[in-house]
Amino acid sequence: MFEKIVTFIKELYPNENPVPLHAPRFLGNEKKYLIDCIDTTYVSYVGQYVTRFEELIRQYTGAKYSVAVSTGTAALHTALLLEDVKPNTEVITQPLTFVATVNAIAYCGAQPVFVDVEKSTLGLDPQKLNDFLINHAVLKADGLCYNKATGRLITACVPMHTFGHPARIDQIIEVCSKYNIPVIEDAAESLGSFYKDKHTGTYGTMGILSFNGNKPVTTGGGGMVITNDESLATKAKHMTTTAKKPHPWEFVHDMVGYNYRMPNINAAVGCAQMERITETLENKRNTAMIYKNFFQEIGVTFVDEPENAKSNFWLNTVILKDRQERDNFLAYANEHGVQSRPVWTLMTKLPMYQNCQCDNIEVAQWLEDRLVNIPSSVRI
Ligand SMILES: *Cc1c(COP(=O)(O)O)cnc(C)c1O
């Protein structure tokens, strides 16, 4: 069976050996815009492409405001700081995610708390979140939510849309709103993914996107905070641009700010990528449907888009029988020129997060044992 899969994938990507998991494609105006940056000398923090890129993301996602930053991790850090995620508070997230989600919580000095994901979406399970809060949280007279066991304030919840498959974000928000917990969506992997016709990242108080080299739209490195809240957007811009007060020549900074700005050359690449996002996503969906049919025929579970959702199919994923089969497949595929990888090791097993509070996470463990990502680049 492994041989059949590897042969099939090589035929899908005949021009690449080894077949990469996800390679960026530059099929539009990328070079032209980069040359323009160099010719005009606007390679750094001044220039038209950053504002244009922010505008293109607003148009596409429907978010009212957008603030471009240097990485998706910086976007997460910024969003958490703006929700007052401070030392000695707690943030609920999922154990099945990329480490950046949890690192950003740690940058704020806060404690991550892990609640399980669900098989159907690979995202935070709203039912288990609800049960967790019933059992462990209390809404006090100050209107804020505290962890009964630790006494600490729960300052945010960060669900993640895994591999571009939308979590049941409306229900997650409904649960959190009962406890007055703001939701920041880690939509780093889900540009182009919609839940009930609304773009992922626009349900929470803020959402974040990543434009790292392996994401569906890349700026080389980059990120964005998206929100419908003007005040949060203004603060995000201020905080990520060294908190400099606007002035024609004076340098006055009114708080500890960050240099999290996205350079103009990165945004230039992003503008060119966004001009082609429809083609990119059609191509990726087409590949996903080819995979879906193929895996159906050979009796392997392919992770399809969840109910009520339109996924961007960032990384195509299959669910193998058990950890042994997973490891055997990964060894075979990578040896035979098809880059494949397992899902991330659960955050709860990493040395820096292994002592954090963790609910029953049996589904995340089940998925860790079985999920495999297979090549998913745009086919050219
Ligand atoms: C890519 C990614 C990020 C951010 O990554 P950067 O490399 O900092 O842009 C955050 N969370 C998740 C889930 C990601 O996949």
Side-chain angles (χ1 to χ4, degrees):
M1 179 181 80
F2 294 170
E3 193 188 335
K4 212 169 168 180
I5 298 173
V6 163
T7 305
F8 186 79
I9 295 175
K10 282 182 163 170
E11 280 167 9
L12 270 184
Y13 293 95
N15 306 317
E16 287 156 296
N17 190 19
V19 182
L21 188 73
H22 199 284
R25 304 288 193 219
F26 304 107
L27 307 171
N29 288 319
E30 286 87 351
K31 265 189 198 167
K32 186 176 148 198
Y33 294 166
L34 281 171
I35 289 168
D36 179 50
C37 290
I38 291 167
D39 285 349
T40 59
T41 77
Y42 289 133
V43 297
S44 192
Y45 300 126
V46 181
Q48 55 154 336
Y49 288 109
V50 175
T51 39
R52 243 171 88 184
F53 185 49
E54 288 172 335
E55 163 80 37
L56 286 167
I57 292 290
R58 282 198 299 279
Q59 276 171 8
Y60 186 77
T61 60
K64 279 203 189 125
Y65 305 96
S66 53
V67 177
V69 293
S70 51
T71 62
T73 312
L76 269 169
H77 187 200
T78 304
L80 289 165
L81 289 170
L82 291 175
E83 285 298 358
D84 254 343
V85 175
K86 290 195 172 87
N88 232 8
T89 71
E90 296 181 359
V91 176
I92 299 172
T93 190
Q94 57 197 61
L96 188 93
T97 186
F98 177 55
V99 71
T101 315
V102 190
N103 284 345
I105 295 167
Y107 298 166
C108 300
Q111 296 291 321
V113 173
F114 298 101
V115 172
D116 208 6
V117 295
E118 50 182 358
K119 276 187 201 174
S120 55
T121 67
L122 313 180
L124 193 63
D125 185 330
Q127 187 58 51
K128 285 191 178 168
L129 177 65
N130 193 45
D131 294 345
F132 176 85
L133 290 169
I134 287 172
N135 292 329
H136 298 282
V138 56
L139 204 55
K140 289 201 182 157
D142 59 5
L144 300 172
C145 179
Y146 292 82
N147 184 323
K148 276 192 258 183
T150 62
R152 288 193 286 242
L153 181 64
I154 300 175
T155 38
C157 174
V158 186
M160 196 276 281
H161 303 289
T162 310
F163 305 138
H165 297 299
R168 286 193 285 156
I169 189 64
D170 54 346
Q171 298 190 40
I172 292 169
I173 287 175
E174 198 182 310
V175 170
C176 284
S177 65
K178 286 191 289 187
Y179 290 86
N180 228 340
I181 302 170
V183 174
I184 297 168
E185 294 176 73
D186 184 342
E189 306 181 353
S190 64
L191 180 60
S193 302
F194 294 79
Y195 185 73
K196 295 184 177 169
D197 293 328
K198 242 177 89 162
H199 198 279
T200 52
T202 64
Y203 280 84
T205 59
M206 282 170 279
I208 74 95
L209 303 171
S210 166
F211 309 108
N212 185 13
N214 66 355
K215 297 280 158 56
V217 163
T218 186
T219 59
M224 191 131 4
V225 177
I226 56 176
T227 181
N228 290 323
D229 183 317
E230 185 179 6
S231 153
L232 286 172
T234 306
K235 286 179 190 157
K237 194 64 166 182
H238 190 61
M239 182 180 278
T240 56
T241 54
T242 63
K244 183 183 177 295
K245 292 179 81 170
H247 192 279
W249 65 84
E250 264 192 314
F251 277 84
V252 181
H253 307 263
D254 58 6
M255 59 177 280
V256 179
Y258 295 82
N259 179 10
Y260 276 171
R261 274 182 288 202
M262 176 182 282
N264 202 44
I265 48 171
N266 296 90
V269 174
C271 289
Q273 294 260 300
M274 281 308 289
E275 288 167 1
R276 289 185 47 84
I277 189 165
T278 307
E279 288 90 336
T280 300
L281 293 174
E282 271 173 14
N283 188 302
K284 288 179 73 63
R285 171 169 293 271
N286 182 260
T287 304
M289 292 308 119
I290 293 171
Y291 272 138
K292 182 179 163 177
N293 289 334
F294 169 75
F295 284 110
Q296 210 155 30
E297 271 169 31
I298 65 165
V300 170
T301 307
F302 174 78
V303 178
D304 204 352
E305 62 197 343
E307 228 180 302
N308 297 316
K310 188 164 182 226
S311 303
N312 65 4
F313 290 101
W314 172 48
L315 288 185
N316 289 295
T317 309
V318 291
I319 303 181
L320 297 181
K321 203 170 75 221
D322 52 25
R323 199 170 182 106
Q324 187 63 52
E325 189 177 75
R326 180 198 88 158
D327 290 344
N328 292 345
F329 175 77
L330 289 170
Y332 184 89
N334 285 296
E335 253 168 49
H336 290 82
V338 170
Q339 281 187 5
S340 301
R341 52 162 237 203
V343 73
W344 314 280
T345 296
L346 298 185
M347 296 301 107
T348 47
K349 295 179 183 175
L350 304 182
M352 55 289 190
Y353 303 125
Q354 65 187 359
N355 295 323
C356 296
Q357 186 176 6
C358 175
D359 203 29
N360 174 354
I361 54 160
E362 61 189 1
V363 173
Q365 184 56 59
W366 190 91
L367 291 167
E368 189 207 61
D369 288 338
R370 292 166 180 78
L371 289 189
V372 168
N373 294 132
I374 51 177
S376 304
S377 316
V378 164
R379 289 186 303 126
I380 45 178

